[in-house]
Amino acid sequence: MSNAPRLTALDALHRSLGATMTDFAGWDMPLRYGSERDEHNAVRTRAGLFDLSHMGEITVTGPQAAALLDYALVGNIGSVGIGRARYTMICQESGGIVDDLIVYRLGDNEYMVVANAGNAQIVLDALTERAGGFDAEVRDDRDAYALIAVQGPESPGILKSLTDADLDGLKYYAGLPGTVAGVPALIARTGYTGEDGFELFVEPQHAEKLWQALTEAGAPAGLIPCGLSCRDTLRLEAGMPLYGHELTTSLTPFDAGLGRVVKFEKSGDFVGREALQAAAERAETDPPRKLVGLIAEGRRVPRAGMSVVAGGAVVGEVTSGAPSPTLGKPIAIAYVDAVHAEPGTPGVGVDIRGTHEPYEVVALPFYKRQK
C-alpha cells in the first residue's frame, strides 16, 4: 500500500498555476496560489474557484435508503425533498461526533452523503456496518467525482453564463442536475465560506474543462483560484466548525452548540439516541463549555490548543485561530466555561506563550454576508 498522497484530477493544472501544495488528509492539495489575503478577499468581494475533490462522496441507494440514513445519522433524512440537501452528523453510540456531513437527496431512493476527506473511510465503514438489515446499498463513490466550488457574490453571474440550469430557483442547500460548460454536473448551492456560491460535482475526466471554462467566464468579474488556506479563514469568519477542531468524538453535537441537527422527533431508533438525549438534558441544566468567538485586542494570533484564561485560571481552549482579513484583527473560536461565555464578558484572554493577551468574547459568526 503506497503512502504517496492521492492526486485530484486537477493536480497538473494546480502546479501549472504555481500553487503551493500540501498534504491534506492524504491528498496533495493546493494551499495557496499567491497571497492568502488576496484569495480570501476575492471570495468576500468577487469570486474564488476551489478544487475540493478530496471530499468523500458515498452513495446510498435502495428501497430503504432513507430508513438506513435515519437510523445511521442524527438528522431526519427521510423528510428531505428530492433536489434538497441537509447538514447533519454521524455519531457514535456514546454520542461523540464521528463526522459532520451534507446529505443530498438525488432521487426517490438515492442519496449522496458527503464526508470530510480525513473521515471518509470511517464514515463509509460506519454506514456499511449500520446498513445490516436494511434493503439498501452503500457505495464508495470517492473516485467517481471531482468537486469544484465557485464561491462569492459574483458566482451566480459567472455560473449563469455557462449553464441554462435554473440558478435563480436553486435555493441554499439544494442541488439539481444540469450542464455547465457542456459538462454534466450536480449543481449544489452549498459552500463553506459564508458567501453565496455553488459546488459542482462532475466526473474527474471533465474537471479540467470545467475549471478552465469557469476561469475564463469569471475573469471579467475578478474570479481567481483559491487554496485551502483561505478556505479556512473564510469558514472561521463565518463561524463554521471544522472536524478535528470544533468537532471531535469526545464532543456531542450539544457540546458543540449544534444540538439543532439532532432530530429526536423522527420515528424509530437511531445510533446514539439515548446518549444524545442525556447530553441534551445536560446542556440545558448544566452546560459544559460553550463555543464562542474571540477577537484580539492586540496583534498576536491565537492557535488551536492554546488556553483561554480569566482571573489567572484556565477557563477554555482555542480550537481554531487566524488573522481575519475581513475584521483586520486576529480571531479565534474557543470552548469556554459557560460562566465566561457571554458576549462582552470582561477579563478574558488567551495564553500565548506565557503572556495573557486580552480578547473580546463575541457571539458567532464573526461575519455574516448581506443577503
Side-chain angles (χ1 to χ4, degrees):
M1 174 120 176
S2 157
N3 283 334
R6 295 178 69 172
L7 307 181
T8 79
L10 295 165
D11 184 75
L13 196 145
H14 298 316
R15 291 169 197 281
S16 74
L17 292 171
T20 300
M21 305 296 285
T22 188
D23 183 345
F24 184 83
W27 290 81
D28 217 7
M29 298 297 293
L31 191 61
R32 72 183 79 79
Y33 298 84
S35 148
E36 290 165 17
R37 178 180 294 268
D38 289 349
E39 291 173 25
H40 179 108
N41 290 335
V43 176
R44 283 276 176 262
T45 58
R46 302 184 307 277
L49 191 58
F50 295 85
D51 179 10
L52 305 178
S53 302
H54 60 312
M55 300 297 281
E57 296 87 5
I58 301 160
T59 304
V60 180
T61 55
Q64 289 188 300
L68 161 60
L69 290 170
D70 275 340
Y71 167 73
L73 312 179
V74 300
N76 190 348
I77 307 304
S79 68
V80 177
I82 293 173
R84 298 307 304 259
R86 186 155 296 166
Y87 176 78
T88 187
M89 293 183 184
I90 181 167
C91 289
Q92 298 171 325
E93 198 67 71
S94 63
I97 302 166
V98 175
D99 200 12
D100 61 336
L101 312 163
I102 296 179
V103 180
Y104 297 88
R105 186 172 184 187
L106 305 181
D108 276 338
N109 298 318
E110 185 180 3
Y111 296 82
M112 181 168 70
V113 177
V114 181
N116 285 298
N119 292 331
Q121 189 63 47
I122 296 164
V123 173
L124 177 69
D125 292 345
L127 285 175
T128 303
E129 185 192 329
R130 293 174 190 186
F134 288 94
D135 186 3
E137 184 198 344
V138 176
R139 188 173 73 232
D140 179 0
D141 267 347
R142 283 175 288 179
D143 292 336
Y145 292 104
L147 177 55
I148 294 173
V150 53
Q151 299 276 306
E154 297 289 343
S155 56
I158 294 166
L159 202 54
K160 269 181 197 168
S161 70
L162 296 173
T163 183
D164 52 13
D166 177 18
L167 297 186
D168 292 333
L170 188 65
K171 295 184 172 72
Y172 186 51
Y173 265 72
L176 87 174
T179 305
V180 182
V183 171
L186 171 67
I187 306 167
R189 200 165 207 151
T190 43
Y192 194 51
T193 61
E195 297 299 334
D196 192 9
F198 302 87
E199 295 184 321
L200 308 170
F201 295 86
V202 299
E203 289 181 31
Q205 72 208 44
H206 299 315
E208 204 163 312
K209 179 185 175 186
L210 181 58
W211 179 281
Q212 299 287 26
L214 286 162
T215 299
E216 282 167 35
L223 171 139
I224 60 171
C226 294
L228 292 183
S229 189
C230 84
R231 191 167 182 250
D232 192 49
T233 51
L234 290 159
R235 71 93 194 164
L236 184 57
E237 289 182 350
M240 294 174 164
L242 174 64
Y243 196 88
H245 289 254
E246 288 72 43
L247 310 175
T248 68
T249 49
S250 61
L251 296 165
T252 73
F254 294 94
D255 296 326
L258 290 164
R260 64 180 182 276
V261 306
V262 181
K263 303 299 182 190
F264 293 118
E265 69 275 16
K266 63 179 173 176
S267 61
D269 193 20
F270 63 89
V271 178
R273 182 191 270 271
E274 211 172 298
L276 290 168
Q277 205 102 47
E281 286 159 22
R282 215 169 41 242
E284 270 184 36
T285 54
D286 179 26
R289 290 179 164 177
K290 287 190 169 175
L291 200 59
V292 301
L294 299 172
I295 300 179
E297 291 177 23
R299 309 300 312 163
R300 297 183 75 185
V301 178
R303 296 297 181 195
M306 288 182 174
S307 296
V308 179
V309 290
V314 173
V315 298
E317 186 179 319
V318 171
T319 51
S320 297
S324 163
T326 305
L327 275 63
K329 296 175 179 180
I331 59 172
I333 298 179
Y335 280 105
V336 175
D337 291 349
V339 65
H340 296 284
E342 277 304 305
T345 301
V348 174
V350 175
D351 184 343
I352 301 182
R353 287 181 277 288
T355 308
H356 291 189
E357 299 284 339
Y359 274 74
E360 181 192 354
V361 179
V362 298
L364 294 168
F366 299 97
Y367 166 85
K368 216 173 191 152
R369 72 182 167 101
Q370 305 303 308
K371 288 282 185 270

